[in-house]
Amino acid sequence: MKTNTSIILRRLGLGVVTLLVISILIFVGVEALPGDLAEAVLGQSATPETVEAFRKELKLDLPPHVRYFSWLGSFLRGDFGTSLANGRPIADLIGWRFSNTLFLAGITALISIPFAVGLGILAALYRNTLFDRSISIGTLSAISFPEFFVAYILIAIFSVQLTMFPSMSNIGPQMTLLQKIHAVALPCLTLTLVVMAHMMRMTRAAIINVLTSPFIEMARLKGLSWRRVILHHAFPNALSPIINVVVLNLAYLVVGVVVVEVVFVYPGLGQLLVDSVAKRDIPVVQASGLIFAFTYVFLNLTADILSTLSNPRLRNPK
Amino acid sequence: MTAIQLLKKSPASARVGMIIIVFNLLVMMLAPVIAPYPETEVVGDVWVNSSAENLLGTDQLGRDMLTRLVYGARNTITIALFITLISFTVGATCGFLAATLKGWTDQVISRMVDIIMAFPTLIFALMVLSVLGTSIPVLIVVIAILDSTRVYRLARAVAMDIEVMDFIEVARLRGEKLWWIMRREILPNAMPPLIAEFGLRFCFVFLFISALSFLGLGIQPPTADWGSMVRENAGAITFGILTPLYPAAAIAVLTIGVNLVVDWFLHQSSQLRSH
């Protein structure tokens, strides 16, 4: 088991280094602004005294490395500073929205993962049949569609024609779980369709890859039933790529929500990020970007560790 | 096998893809000839249904939708192609350099690429745009750099396989310079996978720039662009008017077309290798 722990520890270390470098990049990116934040916010007409006072307030008069560490330190304590646009603390803006984003991504994951893995396995088992071909064409077109195209088609059908679901997913804290689910039905369906296509294609490829290996042929030749071959021989060996696919798509989900949130005016972190980029509210962009990056790197890390753990060769070292 | 023989043997799906691509390229090049009205002229009421004067109706300002779509093809596809070309030049050059020089050149470039790839592309682009502001040169450089990391990975892997061949050794002994080896020995042999990748990268860049424009952070109005046209007309959908679906469908159709051709090409080159 020693190799296992050291691999995981090395991977964790790499993840931490990546996050640190990303945070430095984000910080330096803002440093590289022509002029500085104070001038950018106050505009051309501000007097030098006002700019100087504002710089003091933003602690822009300290040297860069001091500001980087104090920025990172307060970020880790959950203090993200205040928004330039409305002066409210960023933590208040972000907390609720981030939980909304996770709610949407979570429901989508709950629906799409079992479906995608199941259909992917079926497509691999009945490969080159009509069922497999229609799935393959369906997924190829779903991958080629921009998310907003899928979203507006769904709005045109379910919201305008059938009036089943709202086209704007406004959710509030006073709503019950059922009301919330009804409100997010369409964005959830959009994301499900987009993510499922990726997951199904990759699951199918992973299973087919395993099914062509000699030990599967051997198991068949021994006279084992298909059911036993699939469940006991093929599935455990395809588990590592499948877990990888699932977690990578979860990471994709967290980022993919940005466009979908904008389409459905959903009060999530992605919507906030896009608004802040348009307003050039840089502290909010920094904070929400860093949260997205943390989630993304964390999920990628989980994918790597899980696939290491599910690899039979690494689980039973010589 | 000549190109014509290859085309005759192509499956129906690849032919559909080629027709879509050629059609789009023609529209792109002949835009001022095909378009019934000038790019930004207001010709009628807001969101008029299709008629003899406006085949696809009008947009949110009363501009002719067909005209906007035709000019949109020109603007969006040109920018996407340009970005893909830059990302290929940068990515392939760095990849070949890393594979031929190895050592610290390889280490430095590869670790930088690792870090950029550990970060979600859309979020990265949004953060850069928030600092530098949205303009077409910034968009082109940001997306090209983000995209070149993927090209780099492929180019480096392919060049690594080629670099160990005898003819590279011979060229080195002959005293050829690094640039000559990269251009005359490695590039021709790395071509098939790179061409397929070009198609895939184009799709990615095209969808990416459409998404940014849709978010209002890409190509800015009044320039006609498919992504921003969806955004501008989005309000119509709640009245049951399908106008925003036209540019969205145009994006989807072109992407499917390129994907179909790439699929066939990948299939072809894997067959060629196994023979």
Side-chain angles (χ1 to χ4, degrees):
Chain A
M1 293 312 278
K2 204 177 167 195
T3 38
N4 231 336
T5 350
S6 73
I7 288 176
I8 291 172
L9 280 180
R10 200 183 308 153
R11 190 63 190 78
L12 275 176
L14 201 67
V16 172
V17 171
T18 313
L19 283 176
L20 276 179
V21 175
I22 285 174
S23 70
I24 292 176
L25 274 182
I26 290 177
F27 186 78
V28 171
V30 176
E31 287 292 296
L33 257 181
D36 67 22
L37 211 54
E39 286 170 40
V41 174
L42 294 173
Q44 303 256 315
S45 54
T47 59
E49 291 78 33
T50 351
V51 174
E52 205 44 50
F54 196 60
R55 282 180 58 127
K56 276 240 164 59
E57 194 192 318
L58 291 177
K59 299 201 182 77
L60 285 177
D61 47 347
L62 298 174
H65 62 275
V66 177
R67 270 183 294 135
Y68 169 71
F69 285 112
S70 78
W71 173 67
L72 192 67
S74 52
F75 185 88
L76 290 178
R77 283 196 304 274
D79 170 19
F80 304 132
T82 50
S83 155
L84 294 181
N86 50 21
R88 285 173 54 194
I90 296 173
D92 291 0
L93 285 174
I94 283 181
W96 179 61
R97 284 165 188 269
F98 190 50
S99 68
N100 284 347
T101 294
L102 288 182
F103 176 70
L104 178 58
I107 290 191
T108 309
L110 276 183
I111 299 172
S112 60
I113 292 172
F115 261 105
V117 173
L119 284 176
I121 292 177
L122 282 181
L125 286 184
Y126 300 103
R127 65 174 181 277
N128 297 330
T129 60
L130 188 66
F131 171 72
D132 177 35
R133 286 213 189 104
S134 42
I135 280 199
S136 157
I137 291 179
T139 52
L140 185 70
S141 14
I143 287 175
S144 306
F145 286 175
E147 283 134 348
F148 50 79
F149 184 43
V150 180
Y152 283 123
I153 291 180
L154 291 179
I155 290 184
I157 298 173
F158 290 104
S159 169
V160 179
Q161 297 290 325
L162 303 174
T163 59
M164 278 165 68
F165 300 110
S167 66
M168 284 194 195
S169 317
N170 218 336
I171 70 171
Q174 77 288 354
M175 290 166 87
T176 62
L177 186 66
L178 215 62
Q179 281 173 316
K180 277 186 182 172
I181 291 178
H182 181 252
V184 299
L186 285 186
C188 193
L189 192 56
T190 311
L191 282 170
T192 306
L193 286 176
V194 176
V195 177
M196 252 178 68
H198 281 272
M199 276 199 275
M200 247 153 63
R201 280 177 89 86
M202 286 153 91
T203 310
R204 176 181 177 274
I207 295 271
I208 285 182
N209 210 358
V210 173
L211 284 182
T212 52
S213 30
F215 68 86
I216 295 293
E217 201 179 351
M218 184 64 207
R220 293 291 311 282
L221 289 174
K222 275 198 300 193
L224 297 180
S225 69
W226 247 129
R227 205 187 144 83
R228 202 180 153 76
V229 172
I230 300 282
L231 288 180
H232 291 258
H233 295 250
F235 193 68
N237 286 286
L239 202 57
S240 153
I242 290 178
I243 290 178
N244 224 332
V245 168
V246 167
V247 185
L248 287 184
N249 274 287
L250 286 185
Y252 171 81
L253 246 183
V254 175
V255 184
V257 291
V258 174
V259 172
V260 174
E261 278 177 10
V262 172
V263 173
F264 292 97
V265 208
Y266 182 75
L269 193 57
Q271 168 96 349
L272 178 73
L273 177 61
V274 172
D275 283 351
S276 311
V277 172
K279 279 188 270 181
R280 301 189 72 177
D281 187 347
I282 288 162
V284 180
V285 175
Q286 274 182 327
S288 42
L290 206 52
I291 289 181
F292 270 124
F294 265 68
T295 323
Y296 192 78
V297 171
F298 171 75
L299 284 172
N300 273 316
L301 198 77
T302 321
D304 277 4
I305 291 176
L306 282 179
S307 64
T308 313
L309 288 178
S310 64
N311 186 336
R313 238 170 287 154
L314 290 169
R315 219 173 35 224
N316 307 305
K318 283 175 204 148
Chain B
M1 206 164 10
T2 65
I4 297 165
Q5 275 175 316
L6 207 64
L7 276 183
K8 274 187 183 158
K9 283 178 70 182
S10 61
S13 62
R15 287 187 192 181
V16 172
M18 279 184 259
I19 292 172
I20 293 174
I21 295 174
V22 169
F23 176 76
N24 272 288
L25 287 178
L26 281 179
V27 169
M28 180 183 127
M29 285 182 285
L30 301 174
V33 185
I34 303 174
Y37 302 97
E39 185 174 348
T40 52
E41 191 179 274
V42 175
V43 293
D45 226 348
V46 171
W47 287 329
V48 175
N49 276 333
S50 63
S51 62
E53 287 87 46
N54 310 104
L55 281 177
L56 294 177
T58 59
D59 72 357
Q60 90 287 3
L61 294 178
R63 295 170 295 196
D64 181 50
M65 201 61 194
L66 182 63
T67 308
R68 300 288 290 170
L69 271 181
V70 167
Y71 277 102
R74 194 173 69 165
N75 301 332
T76 317
I77 300 174
T78 314
I79 291 181
L81 267 181
F82 193 57
I83 294 175
T84 321
L85 279 175
I86 297 180
S87 98
F88 257 76
T89 321
V90 176
T93 314
C94 291
F96 291 170
L97 268 179
T100 28
L101 290 177
K102 302 210 180 65
W104 65 267
T105 322
D106 182 23
Q107 283 299 323
V108 169
I109 307 179
S110 291
R111 292 299 81 76
M112 271 167 58
V113 166
D114 282 350
I115 286 169
I116 297 182
M117 286 181 80
F119 203 67
T121 325
L122 183 61
I123 308 296
F124 199 117
L126 287 180
M127 302 197 70
V128 176
L129 290 178
S130 77
V131 173
L132 296 180
T134 301
S135 66
I136 289 186
V138 172
L139 271 181
I140 290 177
V141 172
V142 171
I143 304 179
I145 288 178
L146 287 177
D147 202 50
S148 65
T149 56
R150 269 79 179 168
V151 182
Y152 168 81
R153 282 268 173 99
L154 180 80
R156 179 176 171 276
V158 174
M160 281 287 191
D161 285 346
I162 300 171
E163 205 266 338
V164 293
M165 300 276 187
D166 290 340
F167 55 81
I168 303 281
E169 189 68 34
V170 171
R172 284 220 171 103
L173 290 174
R174 228 172 31 229
E176 302 292 0
K177 295 278 183 313
L178 172 73
W179 182 244
W180 199 92
I181 292 180
M182 274 167 52
R183 199 168 51 92
R184 300 291 297 271
E185 306 284 1
I186 295 182
L187 182 64
N189 288 295
M191 229 35 202
L194 282 183
I195 291 177
E197 183 72 5
F198 189 87
L200 291 179
R201 288 337 306 168
F202 172 78
C203 287
F204 178 82
V205 167
F206 183 63
L207 285 178
F208 193 71
I209 199 154
S210 305
L212 278 180
S213 298
F214 172 74
L215 295 175
L217 304 167
I219 301 165
Q220 299 296 318
T223 310
D225 157 75
W226 288 348
S228 29
M229 283 162 70
V230 179
R231 170 195 175 82
E232 290 161 0
N233 290 292
I237 200 93
T238 42
F239 305 117
I241 303 169
L242 298 181
T243 316
L245 288 184
Y246 301 143
I251 297 169
V253 168
L254 180 58
T255 323
I256 292 178
V258 177
N259 267 326
L260 288 174
V261 175
V262 170
D263 253 19
W264 168 64
F265 194 87
L266 282 176
H267 195 67
Q268 274 294 313
S269 53
S270 65
Q271 266 180 347
L272 287 177
R273 222 173 286 160
S274 62
H275 275 296

